[in-house]
């Protein structure tokens, strides 16, 4: 009795799988674009949110690197009795400079003076600009720069000359050195205008005169109001503990010590906290896109029953039908994912360029977002694929 040969199903290679999987996409390009658009919007939103947050954080960290986190500020605290005025010693700056680990120190002193564009402007209209006496090393301690002009030195600091913070200059309408402003009962010549100082916003809104000039011309008593110091990175904590006892050994509680970089550090640490909501919205858009892909695949199965029945009658197995439609769903989601990554990166780049920020798009966000699209494509294509594989070849051909 002759032996019967057992028929085996033909195997689909990777190239064949891609060919049959892309057949449905090539035949309906408009539907493919509209279905992939939902995925693209979701991924673009997620990439842009993460990228913008990372770019802003990178800018803050760049500022911290440039400005340093080793500056501390000492100011008068509250006295033991309510309303008691506390003054720092006249030699507070020198005392701080002798602390081990301190590299440089400087100080400012508040003056009971007002600065105006001219004597014809009412004295009450100060524009929120303070007048301060400043030591010569202040700009170095603050790591500040001059937008124009020069800084106070031993010569100019003795005479009626003034350096304006950039906010003070804007409010006074001073755009270049050489102009004059009215302080108390005389004109002072503007010799410089400062660049922005993120770690010392109070200096940005001040008119700075030399220490000796303030004592001679404006009645300054020589007591600093604020002491700024820079120490080595390794000694910041030790210096912070020693500042108050060094400045006022008898009443260290009367000295308040602060870290002006802490605000920037906190902002950098919390940057992106509000991105969670936007990430959630991007995730919802991604899920909606996945539902759109699933709907497209179901319609594709219904429209292609004749093709499915024909392939089944020619020997295609259920597994091969499932692979075909899952591959089609993956390719559809993958196209949307690639478009979304490109759109999200472009949106981040546009935002960074407009705000002068570094362009940062984390690789984990790109990889995670694209992996999410493939996962959604797999899930969205499973049901249509299983439904297609279960179609009877005879019924599918008869329905066609």
């Amino acid at each position: 009795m002759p032996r019967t040969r057992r028929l085996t199903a033909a195997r689909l290679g990777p190239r064949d799988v891609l060919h049959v999987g892309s057949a449905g996409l090539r035949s309906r390009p408009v539907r493919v674009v509209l279905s992939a658009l939902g995925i693209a919007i979701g991924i673009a939103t997620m990439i842009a949110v993460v990228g913008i947050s990372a770019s802003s954080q990178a800018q803050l960290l760049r500022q911290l690197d440039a400005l340093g986190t080793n500056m501390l500020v000492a100011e008068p605290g509250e006295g033991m009795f309510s309303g008691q005025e506390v003054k720092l010693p006249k030699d507070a700056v020198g005392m701080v400079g002798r602390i081990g680990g301190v590299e440089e120190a400087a100080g400012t002193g508040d003056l009971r003076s007002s600065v105006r564009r001219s004597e014809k402007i009412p004295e009450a209209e100060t524009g929120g600009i303070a007048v301060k006496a400043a030591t010569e090393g202040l700009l170095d301690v603050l790591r500040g720069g001059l937008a124009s002009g020069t800084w106070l030195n031993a010569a100019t600091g003795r005479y009626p000359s003034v350096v304006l913070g950039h906010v003070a200059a804007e409010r006074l309408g001073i755009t270049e050195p050489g102009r004059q402003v009215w302080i108390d009962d005389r004109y002072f010549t503007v010799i410089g205008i400062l660049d922005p100082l993120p770690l010392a916003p109070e200096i940005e809104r001040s008119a700075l005169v030399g220490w000796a000039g303030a004592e001679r011309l404006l009645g300054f008593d020589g007591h600093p109001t604020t002491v700024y110091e820079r120490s080595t990175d390794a000694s910041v904590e030790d210096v912070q503990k020693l500042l108050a006892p060094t400045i006022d050994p008898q009443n260290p509680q009367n000295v308040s010590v602060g870290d002006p970089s802490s605000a920037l550090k906190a902002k950098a640490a919390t940057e992106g906290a509000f991105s969670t909501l936007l990430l959630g919205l991007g995730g919802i858009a991604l899920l909606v896109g996945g539902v759109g892909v699933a709907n497209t695949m179901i319609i594709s199965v219904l429209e292609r029953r004749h093709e499915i029945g024909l392939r089944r009658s020619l020997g295609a197995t259920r597994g091969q039908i499932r692979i075909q439609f899952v591959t089609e769903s993956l390719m559809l989601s993958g196209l949307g994912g690639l478009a979304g990554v490109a759109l999200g990166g472009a949106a981040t780049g546009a935002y960074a360029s407009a705000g002068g920020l570094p362009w940062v798009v984390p690789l984990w966000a790109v990889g995670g977002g694209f992996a999410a699209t493939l996962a959604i494509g797999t899930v969205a294509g499973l049901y249509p694929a299983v439904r297609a594989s279960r179609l009877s070849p005879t019924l599918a051909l008869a329905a066609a």
Side-chain angles (χ1 to χ4, degrees):
M1 186 174 179
R3 296 178 60 185
T4 59
R5 295 180 62 187
R6 188 172 182 181
L7 297 176
T8 57
R11 293 188 178 184
L12 291 177
R15 185 176 180 180
D16 298 323
V17 171
L18 292 176
H19 180 74
V20 297
S22 62
L25 304 183
R26 294 194 305 269
S27 61
R28 299 170 179 82
V30 176
R31 183 182 297 175
V32 168
V33 171
L34 294 177
S35 299
L37 185 60
I39 295 287
I41 291 174
I43 291 298
T45 302
M46 298 178 73
I47 295 293
V49 166
V50 174
I52 290 172
S53 176
S55 298
S56 300
Q57 188 177 47
Q59 176 69 3
L60 288 173
L61 293 176
R62 180 182 292 182
Q63 285 184 349
L64 282 173
D65 289 338
L67 298 172
T69 58
N70 59 343
M71 187 176 82
L72 297 175
V73 177
E75 298 176 306
E78 297 182 359
M80 296 179 60
F81 304 100
S82 177
Q84 180 181 3
E85 183 181 2
V86 176
K87 289 186 177 183
L88 300 182
K90 290 185 177 181
D91 59 345
V93 175
M95 296 165 64
V96 169
R98 291 190 288 270
I99 299 176
V102 173
E103 296 178 326
E104 48 191 353
T108 62
D110 291 344
L111 301 174
R112 300 179 183 276
S113 304
S114 62
V115 56
R116 290 166 285 164
R117 188 67 179 83
S118 71
E119 76 278 13
K120 297 180 180 180
I121 296 177
E123 187 174 356
E125 296 182 10
T126 63
I129 303 172
V131 181
K132 296 178 181 288
T135 60
E136 295 176 22
L138 179 64
L139 199 60
D140 293 332
V141 176
L142 297 179
R143 292 186 182 175
L146 286 159
S148 59
T150 60
W151 177 244
L152 298 164
N153 55 41
T156 58
R158 297 181 56 85
Y159 297 99
S161 56
V162 62
V163 174
L164 300 177
H166 86 283
V167 174
E170 290 177 357
R171 293 178 180 177
L172 289 171
I174 304 295
T175 58
E176 58 185 1
R179 302 297 180 88
Q180 291 188 319
V181 293
W182 184 263
I183 300 179
D184 278 0
D185 59 351
R186 71 180 64 211
Y187 277 105
F188 279 65
T189 301
V190 177
I191 63 172
I193 298 175
L194 298 178
D195 283 327
L197 296 169
L199 293 186
E202 68 280 2
I203 301 298
E204 297 179 341
R205 300 185 295 270
S206 299
L208 305 171
V209 298
W211 203 268
E215 290 179 326
R216 187 170 66 90
L217 302 173
L218 301 176
F220 178 45
D221 62 5
H223 289 274
T225 307
T226 307
V227 176
Y228 303 88
E229 68 82 28
R230 288 275 184 182
S231 53
T232 61
D233 292 334
S235 60
V236 172
E237 293 185 4
D238 293 335
V239 171
Q240 188 169 14
K241 296 176 183 178
L242 294 173
L243 270 179
T246 300
I247 294 174
D248 193 346
Q250 295 182 343
N251 298 292
Q253 71 277 3
N254 290 346
V255 180
S256 174
V257 179
D259 179 5
S261 66
S262 60
L264 280 178
K265 288 187 283 189
K267 188 176 180 180
T270 59
E271 185 66 42
F274 295 103
S275 299
T276 305
L277 176 61
L278 295 178
L279 281 175
L281 295 176
I284 293 174
L286 192 58
L287 290 176
V288 171
V291 172
V293 171
N295 184 55
T296 298
M297 295 306 302
I298 291 174
I299 295 175
S300 180
V301 169
L302 294 176
E303 292 179 345
R304 297 162 63 187
R305 283 179 297 176
H306 180 269
E307 174 193 335
I308 296 168
L310 184 60
R311 291 199 63 215
R312 292 281 285 120
S313 65
L314 293 177
T317 64
R318 290 185 175 182
Q320 291 171 349
I321 297 298
R322 286 195 293 268
I323 290 175
Q324 173 187 348
F325 282 92
V326 169
T327 301
E328 183 175 332
S329 177
L330 278 172
M331 294 179 71
L332 179 57
S333 299
L335 289 174
L338 290 175
V341 169
L343 289 173
T348 303
Y351 179 86
S353 177
L357 306 176
W359 182 24
V360 179
V361 178
L363 291 178
W364 65 262
V366 175
F370 191 70
T373 63
L374 297 182
I376 287 178
T378 301
V379 174
L382 279 177
Y383 171 71
V386 171
R387 180 171 178 173
S389 67
R390 290 179 178 177
L391 285 176
S392 169
T394 56
L395 293 177
L397 290 171

